[in-house]
Amino acid sequence: MEMRDLYQQVILDHNRSPRNFREIEDADHVAHGDNPLCGDKIKVYLKLNGDVIEDVSFHGSGCAISQSSASLMTIAVMGKSIAEAEELFHKFHGMVTADADQSARRKELGKLAAFAGVREFPARVKCANLAWHTLHAALCEHAEPVSTE
Ligand code: ZN
């Protein structure tokens, strides 16, 4: 099977049956993400234990890229520290936007590398990044409150 097909399978699978697609009723932090260009909406729930992400989930609707990316994001950061999650966010962001060496990053990112291909489609980069930006917003809220105005 081609690497590309394998990646497509990962995206289709997570779109069809998204993991951690639920609310966390006693979440410490909730953040909303909106990608009006595509119509993707994401809500990320976080439960922290000290600086460890004890539980993370999402709700949302939108295209296959945005929903599967959110599903894979929750798996990737579950049980990680805030610092580790932020590092993954930067690596993921770099993979879908930068021209840096891809092979090294793909290894570090595991299944998240399924989204490396969106670099060729600038409109889809926002779809892939939405869940990560929303997670980042939720984590920043933890550090210091985000001003709404
Ligand atoms: Zn989208």
Side-chain angles (χ1 to χ4, degrees):
M1 190 184 268
E2 294 268 339
M3 215 48 189
R4 208 183 181 88
D5 295 335
L6 193 68
Y7 284 158
Q8 264 179 11
Q9 287 303 317
V10 170
I11 291 170
L12 288 174
D13 170 44
H14 280 263
N15 180 51
R16 210 176 302 137
S17 43
R19 319 304 198 269
N20 302 307
F21 189 82
R22 56 186 159 85
E23 284 180 44
I24 298 174
E25 280 184 17
D26 57 345
D28 297 313
H29 301 282
V30 180
H32 294 266
D34 202 357
N35 176 22
L37 272 178
C38 182
D40 309 317
K41 287 184 197 305
I42 297 271
K43 199 170 170 185
V44 170
Y45 301 81
L46 273 183
K47 187 148 178 60
L48 300 173
N49 183 356
D51 74 337
V52 171
I53 298 172
E54 194 172 76
D55 199 7
V56 53
S57 69
F58 80 104
H59 253 186
S61 60
C63 69
I65 300 276
S66 69
Q67 301 303 302
S68 59
S69 180
S71 173
L72 281 153
M73 178 276 286
T74 61
I75 293 171
V77 303
M78 186 78 79
K80 296 277 200 304
S81 71
I82 292 172
E84 287 169 334
E86 290 284 15
E87 200 186 321
L88 267 178
F89 166 64
H90 288 297
K91 279 183 186 160
F92 185 86
H93 191 262
M95 177 184 72
V96 295
T97 56
D99 286 322
D101 177 33
Q102 293 297 306
S103 53
R105 280 215 177 90
R106 278 184 195 188
K107 260 189 191 153
E108 291 169 35
L109 286 166
K111 279 190 171 177
L112 296 175
F115 298 96
V118 302
R119 284 173 62 243
E120 295 160 38
F121 310 96
R124 309 321 296 274
V125 170
K126 283 176 194 279
C127 302
N129 264 336
L130 179 64
W132 288 91
H133 280 293
T134 310
L135 171 76
H136 179 67
L139 289 171
C140 283
E141 184 197 49
H142 176 66
E144 58 183 36
V146 174
S147 165
T148 49
E149 275 305 312

